[in-house]
Amino acid sequence: MYYINNLIRPKEFLAELLGTFVMVIIAKSAGVSLAVLSARNDPAATGSLLTGGLSAGLGVMVGILVTGNASGAHMNPCVSVAMAIWGRLKFSALPSYILGQFLGAAAGSALVLFLFYDTIVEVGPEVMTSYPGLAEGEVQLSFDQGVATFILLLVVCSVEDQGHTPPALLVGLSVATITITMGANAGASMNPAVDFMPRAIAALWRMSLSPFHKGGKFWLIPFLVPYLGAAIGVSVYSLAIQRVGQESIVTKKTKSVQFITS
């Protein structure tokens, strides 16, 4: 039984599922609401990039508040993979984490479509996913997704390693910042589960693969590239910032930094 629980990790699986579920409901509900209001030329949609970005960040914050102590509240397969590379998560735990995240994103997306059943027809279920915006070339689109995830992992690593508090608020505001500044380019999804599963649910809703065909093969970019950005982010942080085998002493009087090899 111990080995089964160690492999399945029901606590972490359920925590990641619930955290991602809550995060998706908040973020995607805001996205659908803003899209409908914009389609109706409602003044309430003014500043939708700011509102959408803040909603995404607040969704992350709430998810962390709910499940942080249970699983670390990754809610993102890229974060889980990066934590495994960094040595903060066992590779054997990845299946439970990632499965919970994808299922949570699917359940959250399905509930959002149900909640907005009366109005989703005005904009289509595809509004829950990302598509090319200001950027058009595949290189720019790929770098957009990779750089956004790279920055996210620098923040996550710094909060984890340096003990910045409150972590939920700081990570949430960082997600909001990245989304607001880079979202118009290509969505800056930074999360394969939160991009792919809403797209899959939208395809089921339409009984068509059109959500995957819009934008050509763009869906592959937010599905694959963020993993690379996350791996580079955690590696750069580990090499450039993390103290490995050294202790940093900051002298209060001179503000000078000394390194003592342990």
Side-chain angles (χ1 to χ4, degrees), residues 61-258:
M61 183 190 74
V62 173
I64 295 174
L65 290 174
V66 172
T67 64
N69 285 338
S71 66
H74 297 176
M75 302 178 296
N76 184 336
C78 291
V79 173
S80 297
V81 170
M83 291 300 104
I85 294 173
W86 199 22
R88 301 298 177 97
L89 181 70
K90 293 182 179 180
F91 277 96
S92 61
L94 282 178
S96 294
Y97 272 74
I98 294 176
L99 181 60
Q101 292 154 3
F102 273 87
L103 291 179
S109 302
L111 182 57
V112 169
L113 289 184
F114 174 76
L115 293 174
F116 291 89
Y117 179 83
D118 294 329
T119 55
I120 195 67
V121 66
E122 298 180 33
V123 292
E126 297 86 356
V127 295
M128 296 192 300
T129 65
S130 62
Y131 289 101
L134 301 178
E136 296 180 358
E138 292 182 357
V139 174
Q140 286 72 29
L141 292 170
S142 297
F143 267 84
D144 173 88
Q145 299 289 330
V147 170
T149 315
F150 168 81
I151 296 172
L152 172 64
L153 261 296
L154 289 180
V155 172
V156 171
C157 289
S158 69
V159 170
E160 169 72 15
D161 183 51
Q162 301 176 41
H164 298 313
T165 58
L169 179 62
L170 294 176
V171 175
L173 287 177
S174 298
V175 170
T177 300
I178 297 169
T179 305
I180 292 169
T181 55
M182 301 181 68
N185 214 29
S189 69
M190 300 175 280
N191 191 328
V194 174
D195 186 85
F196 180 83
M197 295 313 295
R199 201 181 300 272
I201 294 298
L204 289 173
W205 182 276
R206 287 196 177 280
M207 297 301 291
S208 166
L209 291 177
S210 59
F212 288 94
H213 294 157
K214 183 179 177 181
K217 299 294 183 180
F218 170 77
W219 70 272
L220 288 170
I221 294 177
F223 184 64
L224 298 174
V225 173
Y227 290 106
L228 178 59
I232 295 174
V234 72
S235 299
V236 168
Y237 182 87
S238 181
L239 292 172
I241 305 297
Q242 188 182 24
R243 295 166 295 185
V244 181
Q246 294 179 323
E247 180 182 357
S248 173
I249 301 177
V250 181
T251 305
K252 292 183 179 180
K253 293 182 179 180
T254 64
K255 297 298 182 182
S256 62
V257 180
Q258 298 173 312

